């Protein structure tokens, strides 16, 4: 099935690129995570049933999209997605968010419920954000000291390593990083991996996204970086939460926080033998779970 690269200009002046795959009447919107773009949804675009029409958007500051105005809150990205859907006439559809995209999808479903018919959260950040911590004396995260300011995010040495690699287009660093924490189980084939690395290096908003991840909180639990909004209660659509049992980015605790905050309204599935990218680790297992959920079946 053919995939077209397109773009649309939002009222804000930002231009969002996106991939559009032909399909039937059921519409799926894919929201990518940090350090990638719609390019990393290629396996879903290739393998998802032809009855689904698919849109995969590039968020502001990623891939083909512009980054004219800095955005350091996930709510701004959700507002962009809402505007994007309006311009394309997507009144309501299945929304599938991955990692950081999971937080954006949750905010979209909470504040624009008319846009979302079903919600899929893959390796999603917690309802209580993705915490960043101060460095200890050895340069490792001190999990007793969650960062509370934008300045604090920018002081973390690890964050500067990634930012520097991005600015210098250091593919070797990025490959090593992704092999360590994303593709530690399996790796994409070389041609696909090379395309992913090229795409990773298009990001222009790394520190802003880190700040947005750290401060996000739609739970009822306050944390050091922000108060809980309680907006998770507004998400009433059928929701599937998927996490690989080998995920080194989203911990079991983060996943459990999300499930607890949904209060039993979300169905959880563990993807066996998968890390943070089940699309690469075991796409057949992933697609089977998602399609069973979308068809209204019980997902084991």
């Amino acid at each position: 099935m053919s995939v077209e690269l397109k773009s649309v200009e939002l009222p804000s002046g930002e231009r969002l690129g996106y991939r559009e795959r032909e399909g039937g009447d059921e519409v799926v919107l894919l929201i990518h995570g940090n350090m990638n773009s719609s390019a990393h949804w290629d396996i879903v675009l290739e393998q998802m049933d032809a009855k689904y029409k698919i849109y995969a958007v590039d968020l502001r500051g990623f891939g083909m999209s512009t980054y004219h105005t800095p955005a350091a809150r996930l709510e701004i990205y959700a507002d962009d997605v809402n505007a994007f859907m309006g311009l394309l006439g997507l009144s309501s559809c299945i929304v599938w968010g991955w990692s950081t995209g999971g937080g954006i999808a949750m905010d979209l479903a909470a504040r624009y419920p008319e846009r979302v018919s079903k919600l899929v959260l893959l390796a999603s950040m917690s309802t209580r954000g993705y915490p960043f911590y101060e460095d200890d004396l050895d340069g490792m995260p001190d999990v007793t000291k969650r960062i509370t300011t934008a300045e604090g995010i920018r002081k973390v040495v690890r964050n500067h390593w990634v930012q520097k690699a991005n600015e210098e287009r250091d593919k070797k660093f990025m490959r090593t990083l992704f092999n360590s924490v994303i593709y530690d189980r399996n790796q994409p084939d070389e041609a696909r991996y090379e395309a992913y690395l090229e795409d990773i290096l298009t990001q222009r908003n790394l520190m802003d996204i880190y700040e947005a991840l750290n401060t996000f909180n739609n739970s009822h639990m306050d944390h050091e970086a922000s108060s809980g909004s309680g907006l998770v209660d507004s998400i009433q659509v059928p929701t599937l939460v998927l996490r690989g049992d080998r995920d080194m980015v989203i911990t079991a605790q983060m996943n459990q926080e999300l499930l607890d905050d949904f209060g039993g309204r979300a169905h959880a599935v563990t993807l066996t033998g998968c890390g943070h990218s089940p699309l690469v680790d075991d796409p057949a297992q992933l697609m089977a779970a998602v399609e069973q959920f979308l068809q209204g079946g019980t997902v084991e």
Side-chain angles (χ1 to χ4, degrees):
M1 287 173 289
S2 65
V3 176
E4 293 185 70
L5 302 184
K6 299 183 177 182
S7 67
V8 62
E9 186 167 346
L10 305 185
S12 66
E14 299 290 349
R15 178 166 288 276
L16 299 190
Y18 64 99
R19 284 168 164 79
E20 180 178 338
R21 195 204 76 175
E22 61 185 11
D25 294 332
E26 293 190 74
V27 178
V28 178
L29 174 65
L30 305 174
I31 306 177
H32 65 81
N34 188 33
M35 299 183 73
N36 59 56
S37 77
S38 63
H40 290 244
W41 284 113
D42 54 347
I43 292 172
V44 171
L45 293 168
E46 293 165 8
Q47 297 189 10
M48 199 165 192
D49 194 288
K51 70 182 179 182
Y52 298 104
K53 171 93 178 229
I54 305 177
Y55 296 88
V57 64
D58 284 357
L59 298 168
R60 182 191 305 200
F62 295 90
M64 299 178 285
S65 296
T66 61
Y67 197 58
H68 299 316
T69 303
R73 292 293 182 273
L74 292 190
E75 294 84 353
I76 299 173
Y77 296 90
D79 289 341
D80 283 352
V81 174
N82 174 61
F84 169 83
M85 294 178 73
L87 289 168
L88 269 62
L90 305 179
S91 57
S92 180
C93 65
I94 299 157
V95 176
W96 181 350
W98 177 13
S99 195
T100 296
I104 294 165
M106 285 190 283
D107 189 68
L108 182 76
R111 295 193 296 116
Y112 302 101
E114 72 281 1
R115 293 295 193 200
V116 183
S117 60
K118 291 183 179 179
L119 183 62
V120 178
L121 302 174
L122 172 62
S124 176
M125 59 183 291
S126 170
T127 38
R128 306 174 198 179
Y130 189 91
F132 283 78
Y133 299 103
E134 296 180 17
D135 292 329
D136 64 17
L137 294 177
D138 296 320
M140 298 300 292
D142 182 343
V143 297
T144 67
K145 296 180 180 179
R146 185 167 184 164
I147 294 169
T148 61
T149 66
E151 293 74 21
I153 292 288
R154 286 161 173 75
K155 287 180 180 178
V156 175
V157 172
R158 298 177 305 283
N159 294 349
H160 277 284
W161 292 343
V162 181
Q163 177 80 2
K164 183 173 183 288
N166 200 308
E167 292 172 351
E168 296 180 355
R169 296 189 55 79
D170 188 342
K171 285 186 185 178
K172 182 178 179 181
F173 176 95
M174 288 299 185
R175 186 185 288 263
T176 300
L177 176 62
F178 271 66
N179 285 350
S180 298
V181 297
I182 310 295
Y183 302 134
D184 55 303
R185 304 285 298 165
N186 296 305
Q187 295 179 4
D189 64 69
E190 187 55 34
R192 203 182 294 266
Y193 205 163
E194 183 67 18
Y196 288 171
L197 290 169
E198 284 288 340
D199 178 70
I200 289 162
L201 296 172
T202 66
Q203 184 173 0
R204 285 137 284 154
N205 59 355
L206 184 72
M207 292 295 182
D208 291 334
I209 283 289
Y210 283 169
E211 181 184 351
L213 289 168
N214 190 52
T215 58
F216 183 75
N217 190 353
N218 69 1
S219 76
H220 287 277
M221 305 284 291
D222 296 344
H223 59 64
E224 297 91 336
S226 66
S227 300
S229 69
L231 279 172
V232 65
D233 293 349
S234 299
I235 304 174
Q236 296 294 325
V237 295
T239 299
L240 175 65
V241 176
L242 300 147
R243 178 182 176 268
D245 60 1
R246 305 297 183 89
D247 196 330
M248 298 174 64
V249 176
I250 302 300
T251 65
Q253 178 183 338
M254 292 177 195
N255 192 63
Q256 191 59 52
E257 288 172 356
L258 187 156
L259 294 172
D260 289 347
D261 291 338
F262 266 79
R265 299 190 310 282
H267 183 75
V269 170
T270 298
L271 299 172
T272 305
C274 292
H276 195 59
S277 180
L279 291 85
V280 170
D281 287 337
D282 194 339
Q285 182 184 181
L286 170 65
M287 297 308 300
V290 171
E291 296 215 19
Q292 192 172 2
F293 166 73
L294 295 182
Q295 293 165 17
T298 301
V299 187
E300 300 298 334

